[in-house]
Amino acid sequence: MAADIRCTADNLTSWSGDSLAVGLFSGDAGSSSRHLLIERFGTGVADRLEQRRFKGKPGECLSIDLLGQTPSLLVLVGLGAPADFGPEQLRGAVAAASKQAATAGAGQLGLAMPVEGLAANNAAAAMAEAVRLSLFCDQRFKSEADAKPGPERIELLGLSEDAQAAVSASAAVCSGVELARELVAAPPNVVTPAALADTAAAIAADFGLELKVLERDDCEALGMGSYLAVAQGSDLPPKFIHLTYRPAGSVERRLVLVGKGLTFDSGGYNLKTAGSQIDMMKYDMGGSAAVLGAMRAIAELKPAGVEVHMIVAACENMISGGAIHPGAIVKASNGKTIEINNTDAEGRLTLADALVYACKLEPDAVVDLATLTGACVIALGEEIAGLWSPCDTLAKSLIEAGSQGGENLWRMPLRASYREGLKSGLADMKNTGPRPGGSITAALFLQDFVTPELPWAHLDIAGTVWSDKGRGLDPAGATGYGVRTLVNWVRAGGPA
Ligand code: BES
Ligand code: MN
Ligand code: ZN
């Protein structure tokens, strides 16, 4: 059960509860927060800050136990320089303080941060998101919980009741991020293509969305030879999932979100080896997790004027006597023939038919998210996802939506001349180009299945889907990357 998060007009001298976290800028010996701290807790606090060489660097934390007092725990957290302070720094400080307080077993947590300089709604949303997402802890697969429960009551100080609506909206977004994290973290024997379809069905039932699941036969009838070639080596049936949110009232924009949904990627006959992280390839459905999480949030937030479709061509990439051969030639639902020169470049094969289907809906924009290439991980690492789009407005609107939610995107070139690398002597194209620029040729491959002129963007989230150590709001493991970008983007009405 997620903690109750409330805004309160209390400040750090009046708030009462067992644990209080206070943000302090670097180099601000004379700031109002320090004055209020001293007013409430005496000069001993200032001495302790001095003694422990507290500098106020971003994320720096100092805990002080106040035996027999209320609050009994004071967490001081650095905010960095005032000039650099914004929502991102606020989120980081709140996350650091929350983790510190939770480790100490806080039951109630008051967060006193300098929210005056920010719009109250933005500050409230950033803080609420930071607490909840940084304290998220997945214990589903342990027979006994081994983590302390987080605080039950969380209060955001210095914010009036008016900001409470933003906190509620952020709760819907956080539920979406948590759903995505749970889907990504779950092992491949639990999150199967059918389990992804069941998740979509649960969202549809809970929030009144429309759901269509196409079975293998249905996909065959639509000529989805590219997607089905990937699915054919698995004992698990593929599920082509189409979930739709329709707003009350008129539709001004129709948007499609497509997610790569490989519930396991063994590589197929171009089998992955130990060094290629085959054991982590459960997270190859991170794109589908992001779009499902986003749909859950959108369904709860009910934005006006936008119709949102979600498409996931879910399957596994396995080996068996029935698996596709390296070198096989298949035909996608737009009639294009593909020579599969590498069965490990399977994500683009599934996305090809998903994108053709998406374009048939005649949308105003299509965005796909995929853990598509190792090359993107090499290029951008785990903090930044790659973005490819021929459309400047769409690219801009996605980058903006991402930065609002603290998710970083970097626009990469969709350089047409690199398509040469996908030429096949026998078929219309190969599925794999040369190693250099591998994430670019992957994006160019996808572009062949998108209606020309239709605004389309591709996000390669191979690096951002998982964080081994955890960072900022992300605990170690699945990040739920993409949900916040998509929800912010949809709420802003898509491409502006
Ligand atoms: N799912 C992988 C991409 C991936 C790699 C995601 C590492 C996360 C971490 C994808 O299906 C794949 O295998 N891509 C190949 C493409 C290559 C064969 C052209 C890759 O990146 O090596
Ligand atoms: Mn692969
Ligand atoms: Zn893959």
Side-chain angles (χ1 to χ4, degrees):
M1 203 37 225
D4 183 33
I5 305 179
R6 308 239 110 239
C7 295
T8 170
D10 276 340
N11 70 9
L12 74 86
T13 54
S14 57
W15 184 80
S16 174
D18 69 40
S19 306
L20 175 63
V22 181
L24 296 175
F25 286 117
S26 57
D28 75 336
S31 80
S32 62
S33 301
R34 292 207 191 209
H35 282 306
L36 294 175
L37 263 180
I38 292 166
E39 182 182 324
R40 181 160 189 181
F41 301 104
T43 52
V45 175
D47 296 343
R48 179 65 65 90
L49 285 169
E50 179 82 6
Q51 188 186 38
R52 294 287 160 89
R53 297 180 172 50
F54 183 85
K55 294 283 183 277
K57 285 183 289 192
E60 182 183 358
C61 272
L62 174 64
S63 291
I64 302 177
D65 273 312
L66 305 165
L67 290 178
Q69 295 185 42
T70 303
S72 56
L73 174 71
L74 189 56
V75 177
L76 303 168
V77 61
L79 303 170
D84 302 333
F85 190 69
E88 190 65 49
Q89 290 68 28
L90 178 59
R91 272 193 289 264
V94 168
S98 303
K99 283 184 261 188
Q100 188 93 359
T103 309
Q108 306 109 37
L109 175 61
L111 289 156
M113 299 290 151
V115 291
E116 308 80 28
L118 305 168
N121 282 346
N122 294 347
M127 290 174 74
E129 246 171 55
V131 185
R132 181 155 156 198
L133 294 181
S134 62
L135 295 184
F136 172 79
C137 177
D138 188 353
Q139 305 263 297
R140 287 172 300 160
F141 302 104
K142 294 193 186 277
S143 44
E144 255 175 84
D146 61 5
K148 283 187 196 165
E152 273 159 25
R153 177 164 70 88
I154 291 156
E155 297 197 332
L156 314 180
L157 277 56
L159 288 165
S160 72
E161 272 299 305
D162 300 347
Q164 194 61 37
V167 173
S168 307
S170 87
V173 177
C174 292
S175 298
V177 176
E178 289 177 357
L179 172 61
R181 285 179 179 176
E182 288 184 344
L183 287 169
V184 170
N189 55 331
V190 171
V191 168
T192 57
L196 289 179
D198 291 346
T199 304
I203 298 170
D206 290 351
F207 299 98
L209 304 194
E210 264 171 60
L211 174 67
K212 197 153 100 181
V213 178
L214 307 184
E215 305 296 336
R216 196 193 306 265
D217 291 353
D218 305 316
C219 296
E220 251 160 37
L222 290 171
M224 296 185 179
S226 183
Y227 163 46
L228 293 177
V230 178
Q232 76 185 45
S234 169
D235 289 342
L236 304 178
K239 301 281 174 184
F240 189 99
I241 309 163
H242 177 187
L243 184 63
T244 308
Y245 162 76
R246 292 183 204 280
S250 65
V251 174
E252 262 120 64
R253 289 279 170 80
R254 184 182 297 145
L255 309 173
V256 190
L257 312 176
V258 179
K260 172 174 170 181
L262 264 291
T263 60
F264 188 72
D265 177 13
S266 71
Y269 274 103
N270 289 99
L271 190 59
K272 288 187 185 293
T273 49
S276 58
Q277 292 199 296
I278 190 170
D279 55 320
M280 289 309 295
M281 283 303 146
K282 63 175 184 181
Y283 68 44
D284 213 16
M285 36 57 70
S288 69
V291 295
L292 280 163
M295 288 306 275
R296 194 216 171 278
I298 290 160
E300 191 174 341
L301 294 168
K302 301 187 175 28
V306 278
E307 181 179 294
V308 189
H309 296 260
M310 182 213 79
I311 292 158
V312 174
C315 65
E316 279 189 319
N317 188 20
M318 301 294 274
I319 49 172
S320 75
I324 195 81
H325 308 82
I329 295 177
V330 298
K331 189 186 267 189
S333 46
N334 64 347
K336 288 200 180 165
T337 56
I338 306 161
E339 180 183 3
I340 302 179
N341 60 330
N342 192 323
T343 60
D344 198 9
E346 84 301 332
R348 60 195 78 179
L349 294 171
T350 66
L351 289 167
D353 283 322
L355 288 168
V356 171
Y357 183 100
C359 291
K360 284 191 196 145
L361 299 169
E362 300 188 338
D364 296 288
V366 176
V367 179
D368 77 72
L369 281 83
T371 48
L372 204 62
T373 65
C376 189
V377 189
I378 300 301
L380 298 175
E382 75 167 32
E383 298 184 21
I384 310 168
L387 166 90
W388 283 260
S389 180
C391 174
D392 294 344
T393 21
L394 176 55
K396 258 199 194 145
S397 64
L398 283 163
I399 291 169
E400 170 61 25
S403 77
Q404 260 176 39
E407 294 181 330
N408 305 305
L409 290 165
W410 190 261
R411 191 167 178 190
M412 302 280 278
L414 203 53
R415 189 177 178 86
S417 60
Y418 285 12
R419 206 189 163 290
E420 283 293 311
L422 293 172
K423 279 210 168 142
S424 161
L426 288 168
D428 296 337
M429 60 203 299
K430 297 190 291 192
N431 73 328
T432 310
R435 239 161 81 86
S439 62
I440 300 173
T441 41
L444 287 165
F445 178 92
L446 298 181
Q447 193 176 24
D448 261 67
F449 300 89
V450 176
T451 305
E453 311 304 323
L454 199 160
W456 156 75
H458 157 61
L459 273 57
D460 195 331
I461 61 168
T464 54
V465 70
W466 190 267
S467 173
D468 279 333
K469 297 202 181 104
R471 194 176 48 79
L473 313 196
D474 296 328
T479 60
Y481 184 96
V483 174
R484 283 174 289 162
T485 301
L486 291 175
V487 176
N488 289 338
W489 181 71
V490 166
R491 288 178 91 194

